Amino acid sequence: MNIMNKLESIKNHDLTALENINNYIKIIDKNNSKINAFLDINEEEAIKTAENIDQKIKNGEQTGDLAGLVIAIKSNINVEDFKISAASKTLETYNGSFDATVIQRIKKEDGIIVGMTNMDEFAAGSSTETSYFGQTENPAAPGRIPGGSSGGSAAAIAAKMCDLSLGSDTGGSIRNPASHCGVIGFKPTYGLVSRQGLLDLAMSFDQIGPFANDTSGIALMMDAIAGFDERECTTIEWDVPQFKDINENSQNLLKGIKVGIVEQFMEVSDDHIVNIIEGSIDKMVEMGAELVELSFDHIDLCLPTYYLINYVEFFSATRKYDGRKYGYKIEDVCGEEVLRRIHMGSYISQKEYSGKYYKKALQARSLIRNEMKKLLRDVDVIAGPTVPKLPHKLGKSLDTMDMYAYDVLTVIANLAGIPAASMPSGEVKGIPVGLQIQAKPLEDEKIIHLMKVMESMD
Amino acid sequence: MKCGLEIHVQLETDSKLFCTCHTNYQEASPNTNICFVCLNQPGAKPYPPNQKAMEGAIKIALMLGCKISDDVTYFMRKHYNYPDLSSGYQRTSIPIGFEGDLNGIRIREVHIEEDPGQYKPDMGIVDFNRSGIPLIEIVTEPDINSPEEARIFLRELIRVLEYSGNARGEGTMRADVNISLEGGKRVEIKNINSIKGAYKALKFEMVRQKNLIKRGVTIKQETRAFLESQMITVSMRLKEEAEDYRYIPDPDLPPMMAQEDQIQIIKEKMPEPPHIKTQRFVEQYGIEKEHAKVITSELELADAFEEVAKKVNPAFAALWMRDELKRVIYYNKMTFAQSGITSSQITELLKMIENKEITTKAAQRIIEKMPNNPSTPKQIAEELGLIGVIEDEGIIKAVKQVIDDNPKAVDDYKNGKKESLNYLVGQVMRLTRGKAEPAKTVELLKQYI
């Protein structure tokens, strides 16, 4: 039963919201101590919400488009009265005092928020190992990292602890753990979803997006959260399509769809990953897609450009954690990676260097953005691997550059502001491999459509 | 000496620059006009910039003769660490206007900023009510040559700001001044909160630097703080210790384009700036510059003058409005606008004098009754029995009687005691109940003694 079907059964009262939440609470209670997907859970409140929704349905009242679905939220998105720790010691005891715009919209659609998920500290990582509250286990590949930084949200979906979850994606933080955990993760076009209430990593890259086990769930969540927010200046005033209609009406065909394959995206990836991805691409061809070979010359520029901008914006964003208002001064208690980014950001943004590093990085970013636009001009989507290598084993320590290497294929979408998703493509020795699909800005629905078709072939 | 100023004044808006909190921070109890945006809580993003503040800044820039940037405008983050700054950076726009002029002092740029909260070190608290209130910053070129010139410039600038109707007054002013004497480096003085403070700080600094130069000490580039209580400046930091604000464009606020038609609308609605109005009054009405300056001190007063001057001799109107009207509103501690006196009331009063329906003495008494009084001057005059001017015969009669009744005063006057004449004039006024023209009375008294 996919999420759309489940929503219908709840609305028909074939399944009650209370039964739905109770099932998940059972699984969470049983498995969370091992998986560590959730950092904060409020079962009582979730049950109360479920009962209210059931009552509404019983009374024949209108209910929202997420009615009774159980949702987990990454710990860097403000939800009133939950712990918004960003998995840091700095905000260890910080409680949300307001709802992020996405949360307001979820609540309006009668979604049930069950808890807050684990992540890399302040989202600065790709493994969820840097959480102050301990690492998260990969439910799909036990003993390995779940990826990150939204590792808890991906693991919660993979471990069937909720219907839907939200993550944030700055350089791949949704798609990377989706790939490693074998679930779907979607990063919308920059500006499609309001960031009001999202704790900053790098403001010009950050975007909130959903995780789910099937495309209908992604579509339902996107319908709830996407769209202009008059209280967030970077959101786009745009007539957002109904994603669930695209999902429903997708004729299971890719006829006339042009799929770009970028040579360099394959070259940087491990062979066994490329093999799996090629299998997915073959399926697209079977369904009528036309392949277009593309070349992207700036792949070496992507990581340095991304990280320089990330450092500077993160440095700026963390100045409020000065030890006066929130628990601890960030530099005094943070992990190695967060400290590295703050120090680098502070160093690069100095007056004497700004021309040398930061401005150059901004120039490189426009170059990459333009190049991606050019590549996308003649195709509907670009398909390829999400992550170039498989997740490492928990406990294995990687040096910084090896860690950053996970991100080479995902940062491009953030640099260019384009939509991108990861969906399960296959497995290498039981370890999930994700297929990344990227599209032009505001053509998010093309990704939903393609995923829906691909999903129907399984 | 060369001196340049950076002046911050709060813009007059109902809500803050990036959120909907109210701006009446002084009346509100500490930390009540706050929200997650102006507290910059984790995850909070600024709302779109307050349009009234943006328009106010454009208007003020235009009134200062600035060119308006036709390129994109955006906000920068200026990072520094202080308890009153809830985000650790201050949002400050790139110049909205540039290359302006106010009475020969060049304006380098005008931009918009957000006010931080208020840190009260003695109490160890921060009040964030002020956090996020829009400020306008006006930066001059170093065209000012003395503390006196700085004072004149600042008074004129405050007048322009008041005229705009978009800025709060001197009470919200904070200024940084920079000063360099020949042979010395540039010294910046911070923490100045009034025009008087700017004057005193410059005066002190000029003397201090002159004395040092005299002793052969070179003046180093440094930042100093003005201590208002003692009227002195003290060193804060040398150039080598200058703060690096690590400016970056604010990624939460996308660039905005100033709209040509928006600027046009502001231009049309914008009042004529006072320094230009003063000049025009001198030329158009042939009145003295000093009179013009006083009359243009308040936009409503200047407007009223122009109405009155349509029907009454402008020089006569200027004299009366500058002396008598200003005296009355000053005595009542109100502005002209608050006095409720209308231009038609003034016109009627001055006409009555011109037509010799009342004496100037009577007019002075009438105008004192005019603030917030719906009666016409004529009605007031009738109420007080002041209608009428006693012609020569009546005055002569009174003069003769006064001379007869006050032989001692007359003698005193004859013996050279000039003040006695004033006493005698007063007696004539008493007898005529103020309806004798004072000038005529003096003339006649002298004649008959």
Side-chain angles (χ1 to χ4, degrees):
Chain A
M1 182 163 68
N2 73 18
I3 299 293
M4 186 77 84
N5 301 141
K6 187 186 236 183
L7 177 71
E8 276 156 19
S9 352
I10 292 172
K11 291 205 173 208
N12 297 335
H13 243 191
D14 294 337
L15 171 73
T16 63
L18 187 63
E19 285 164 347
N20 193 32
I21 181 69
N22 279 334
N23 284 339
Y24 283 129
I25 285 172
K26 248 183 251 158
I27 302 172
I28 292 169
D29 286 349
K30 186 162 161 247
N31 296 336
N32 193 52
S33 57
K34 183 169 172 288
I35 292 172
N36 200 24
F38 285 92
L39 297 180
D40 189 21
I41 300 164
N42 192 338
E43 296 179 352
E44 219 172 288
E45 199 57 38
I47 288 168
K48 226 191 278 168
T49 310
E51 285 169 344
N52 283 338
I53 292 162
D54 285 333
Q55 195 57 48
K56 272 207 233 173
I57 293 168
K58 219 177 187 174
N59 297 346
E61 289 171 44
Q62 195 78 20
T63 48
D65 281 347
L66 295 173
L69 297 179
V70 174
I71 299 160
I73 308 293
K74 190 176 180 179
S75 291
N76 61 351
I77 298 172
N78 273 280
V79 188
E80 213 175 325
D81 296 332
F82 275 96
K83 282 209 174 70
I84 314 303
S85 66
S88 69
K89 185 169 168 67
T90 305
L91 296 177
E92 188 181 359
T93 56
Y94 183 73
N95 276 329
S97 66
F98 68 100
D99 282 337
T101 298
V102 290
I103 301 303
Q104 290 176 351
R105 292 182 180 183
I106 287 172
K107 286 182 175 174
K108 190 169 154 261
E109 296 299 337
D110 293 318
I112 302 170
I113 292 168
V114 66
M116 308 301 292
T117 60
N118 203 6
M119 56 187 281
D120 280 297
E121 185 183 14
F122 285 107
S126 313
S127 68
T128 315
E129 291 167 303
T130 66
S131 164
Y132 174 66
F133 304 100
Q135 62 202 18
T136 292
E137 169 80 71
N138 184 337
R144 291 184 185 266
I145 58 157
S149 65
S150 315
S153 286
I157 296 291
K160 305 210 160 36
M161 292 169 159
C162 56
D163 293 307
L164 301 167
S165 64
L166 286 187
S168 65
D169 190 312
T170 307
S173 283
I174 291 174
R175 291 158 289 155
N176 169 299
S179 175
H180 290 329
C181 292
V183 300
I184 304 178
F186 187 78
K187 180 203 97 74
T189 298
Y190 185 80
L192 184 53
V193 175
S194 171
R195 294 179 298 118
Q196 184 62 269
L198 169 67
L199 272 65
D200 300 321
L201 172 53
M203 295 69 78
S204 67
F205 296 138
D206 295 341
Q207 192 65 191
I208 294 172
F211 289 93
N213 268 318
D214 67 75
T215 314
S216 74
I218 299 288
L220 278 172
M221 182 57 96
M222 282 303 291
D223 282 339
I225 64 174
F228 179 65
D229 177 5
E230 59 176 13
R231 302 187 314 157
E232 205 269 84
C233 307
T234 61
T235 55
I236 302 167
E237 265 191 283
W238 182 54
D239 229 349
V240 186
Q242 280 285 310
F243 292 104
K244 74 168 179 266
D245 294 348
I246 294 155
N247 173 68
E248 299 233 291
N249 302 335
S250 286
Q251 311 253 306
N252 294 338
L253 277 177
L254 295 176
K255 216 169 170 209
I257 301 280
K258 286 186 182 168
V259 177
I261 310 296
V262 179
E263 185 192 337
Q264 288 82 357
F265 294 176
M266 298 299 195
E267 274 170 16
V268 297
S269 304
D270 290 350
D271 288 345
H272 42 250
I273 289 180
V274 173
N275 288 338
I276 304 281
I277 297 299
E278 278 173 348
S280 286
I281 292 168
D282 288 346
K283 278 191 199 167
M284 292 181 206
V285 175
E286 262 174 59
M287 297 305 285
E290 182 191 329
L291 297 190
V292 180
E293 285 193 15
L294 300 171
S295 178
F296 179 68
D297 296 332
H298 303 297
I299 194 136
D300 293 341
L301 216 52
C302 294
L303 283 178
T305 303
Y306 168 77
Y307 274 100
L308 282 178
I309 295 171
N310 184 302
Y311 291 157
V312 171
E313 292 187 8
F314 185 59
F315 163 77
S316 176
T318 52
R319 294 311 81 209
K320 66 181 62 160
Y321 306 121
D322 56 12
R324 295 187 180 102
K325 299 180 291 299
Y326 314 104
Y328 305 89
K329 183 177 173 188
I330 189 166
E331 288 90 341
D332 291 347
V333 295
C334 70
E336 200 182 311
E337 181 59 23
V338 166
L339 194 61
R340 175 184 0 267
R341 294 190 190 196
I342 291 172
H343 283 166
M344 290 297 288
S346 168
Y347 181 81
I348 297 164
S349 58
Q350 285 177 88
K351 209 173 168 186
E352 49 181 316
Y353 295 131
S354 67
K356 202 162 148 194
Y357 299 113
Y358 186 55
K359 288 218 180 86
K360 283 236 171 80
L362 292 178
Q363 285 163 2
R365 178 187 188 159
S366 329
L367 182 77
I368 292 164
R369 184 186 289 153
N370 290 338
E371 196 59 28
M372 282 306 285
K373 260 191 200 158
K374 231 188 278 171
L375 290 189
L376 281 160
R377 199 159 49 200
D378 301 323
V379 297
D380 294 293
V381 294
I382 289 174
T386 307
V387 188
K389 52 183 184 172
L390 295 173
H392 61 260
K393 286 187 177 147
L394 284 167
K396 186 184 170 198
S397 90
L398 262 61
D399 73 29
T400 308
M401 279 334 215
D402 284 341
M403 202 66 224
Y404 287 179
Y406 276 114
D407 306 330
V408 63
L409 295 172
T410 44
V411 296
I412 299 167
N414 303 84
L415 285 161
I418 59 175
S422 180
M423 71 180 297
S425 174
E427 288 178 355
V428 174
K429 292 182 211 147
I431 303 166
V433 168
L435 168 74
Q436 181 171 229
I437 307 147
Q438 306 184 65
K440 295 184 191 74
L442 301 180
E443 292 197 346
D444 304 57
E445 77 262 31
K446 283 194 177 167
I447 298 175
I448 305 269
H449 171 74
L450 186 121
M451 291 200 297
K452 177 71 191 170
V453 173
M454 295 294 287
E455 189 176 79
S456 69
M457 293 185 68
D458 295 333
Chain B
M1 72 171 256
K2 275 181 189 294
C3 157
L5 305 171
E6 291 174 24
I7 306 109
H8 304 78
V9 176
Q10 285 177 357
L11 285 165
E12 180 65 60
T13 56
D14 290 336
S15 56
K16 293 183 179 182
L17 188 51
F18 297 115
C19 65
T20 53
C21 287
H22 207 283
T23 53
N24 61 340
Y25 69 102
Q26 280 151 325
E27 296 147 35
S29 320
N31 292 313
T32 52
N33 284 359
I34 50 170
C35 71
F36 58 88
V37 176
C38 57
L39 282 184
N40 287 286
Q41 278 178 250
K45 307 283 181 288
Y47 299 170
N50 183 328
Q51 277 311 301
K52 201 180 165 213
M54 301 307 288
E55 282 174 20
I58 292 174
K59 194 205 268 185
I60 289 164
L62 285 169
M63 288 178 73
L64 292 170
C66 289
K67 297 174 186 161
I68 303 299
S69 166
D70 55 6
D71 211 355
V72 288
T73 302
Y74 53 91
F75 282 86
M76 303 285 283
R77 290 181 173 190
K78 174 183 178 178
H79 300 89
Y80 63 89
N81 180 6
Y82 202 66
D84 65 4
L85 202 55
S86 57
S87 53
Y89 53 83
Q90 183 186 28
R91 294 190 188 88
T92 162
S93 80
I94 62 160
I96 286 174
F98 54 94
E99 290 177 18
D101 174 281
L102 179 58
N103 290 341
I105 311 291
R106 288 172 298 158
I107 308 292
R108 182 182 297 168
E109 62 164 87
V110 172
H111 66 252
I112 205 166
E113 289 186 351
E114 58 177 347
D115 216 345
Q118 287 171 295
Y119 176 44
K120 294 165 184 166
D122 46 336
M123 294 153 84
I125 62 157
V126 182
D127 177 4
F128 286 106
N129 280 353
R130 203 180 69 179
S131 173
I133 288 182
L135 293 177
I136 189 158
E137 179 171 346
I138 296 141
V139 184
T140 77
E141 297 289 348
D143 290 347
I144 295 163
N145 298 311
S146 69
E148 290 75 19
E149 271 186 41
R151 184 165 60 186
I152 292 167
F153 173 85
L154 285 170
R155 282 185 184 151
E156 193 64 34
L157 178 68
I158 294 295
R159 233 154 56 106
V160 173
L161 295 175
E162 280 170 359
Y163 259 55
S164 75
N166 288 81
R168 296 180 171 176
E170 191 192 339
T172 69
M173 186 184 101
R174 272 151 280 160
D176 301 338
V177 308
N178 56 73
I179 164 172
S180 57
L181 265 57
E182 202 161 322
K185 286 271 165 54
R186 199 180 102 124
V187 173
E188 190 176 9
I189 311 165
K190 290 191 172 291
N191 205 25
I192 294 169
N193 298 314
S194 64
I195 297 176
K196 185 181 163 201
Y199 174 77
K200 292 279 182 191
L202 279 170
K203 199 100 185 161
F204 175 86
E205 193 56 23
M206 199 173 72
V207 172
R208 188 188 71 88
Q209 291 190 21
K210 271 187 181 161
N211 283 339
L212 285 175
I213 291 169
K214 234 185 261 171
R215 296 210 312 260
V217 182
T218 48
I219 307 293
K220 284 192 201 135
Q221 187 170 339
E222 67 170 336
T223 303
R224 301 177 68 82
F226 178 58
L227 303 183
E228 182 137 31
S229 53
Q230 299 167 61
M231 297 284 180
I232 60 166
T233 70
V234 293
S235 185
M236 281 170 80
R237 55 179 176 261
L238 291 174
K239 187 202 174 194
E240 297 75 50
E241 304 151 10
E243 249 182 295
D244 184 344
Y245 295 121
R246 293 177 165 78
Y247 283 101
I248 62 163
D250 192 325
D252 289 334
L253 293 160
M256 301 161 284
M257 202 69 162
Q259 299 296 321
E260 189 54 46
D261 49 345
Q262 183 198 13
I263 293 168
Q264 204 49 47
I265 292 168
I266 295 170
K267 266 188 187 162
E268 280 160 21
K269 285 196 298 193
M270 168 183 109
E272 180 184 28
H275 55 293
I276 292 171
K277 201 185 278 289
T278 306
Q279 198 51 42
R280 179 168 65 79
F281 278 15
V282 170
E283 284 159 19
Q284 184 177 337
Y285 298 107
I287 63 175
E288 280 175 44
K289 183 150 190 195
E290 273 316 303
H291 291 189
K293 257 195 157 162
V294 175
I295 288 165
T296 56
S297 63
E298 201 186 326
L299 180 57
E300 289 81 0
L301 183 63
D303 287 345
F305 169 76
E306 293 208 83
E307 280 304 309
V308 173
K310 282 178 188 164
K311 293 180 182 136
V312 178
N313 177 328
F316 179 55
L319 191 66
W320 257 84
M321 291 176 77
R322 188 201 100 132
D323 289 345
E324 296 304 327
L325 181 59
K326 270 299 240 189
R327 173 177 65 84
V328 169
I329 59 181
Y330 185 76
Y331 176 79
N332 285 292
K333 295 191 176 66
M334 48 173 62
T335 63
F336 174 69
Q338 288 165 346
S339 78
I341 298 175
T342 64
S343 63
S344 57
Q345 283 177 316
I346 301 167
T347 305
E348 188 181 319
L349 180 72
L350 298 186
K351 278 266 178 223
M352 286 166 74
I353 304 172
E354 278 188 339
N355 297 339
K356 295 200 187 298
E357 291 166 46
I358 52 170
T359 63
T360 49
K361 192 86 191 163
Q364 284 167 356
R365 285 183 61 194
I366 293 165
I367 202 168
E368 282 164 14
K369 300 276 180 222
M370 275 165 57
N372 294 316
N373 186 345
S375 309
T376 65
K378 196 158 223 149
Q379 287 166 340
I380 300 170
E382 278 163 0
E383 251 169 60
L384 299 175
L386 292 173
I387 291 286
V389 174
I390 294 181
E391 293 305 329
D392 292 0
E393 269 171 50
I395 304 177
I396 291 167
K397 201 177 149 207
V399 163
K400 282 181 177 164
Q401 191 183 332
V402 166
I403 291 171
D404 289 347
D405 291 354
N406 298 281
K408 187 172 180 307
V410 172
D411 280 349
D412 286 351
Y413 177 71
K414 281 180 180 163
N415 293 333
K417 199 174 171 195
K418 297 265 184 272
E419 304 86 72
S420 296
L421 189 64
N422 293 341
Y423 172 77
L424 294 169
V425 170
Q427 294 307 306
V428 175
M429 289 294 158
R430 193 176 56 82
L431 275 180
T432 59
R433 297 177 65 210
K435 289 174 191 169
E437 273 296 349
K440 190 76 192 166
T441 306
V442 170
E443 193 186 304
L444 288 168
L445 271 169
K446 282 180 179 169
Q447 195 183 319
Y448 284 90
I449 287 174

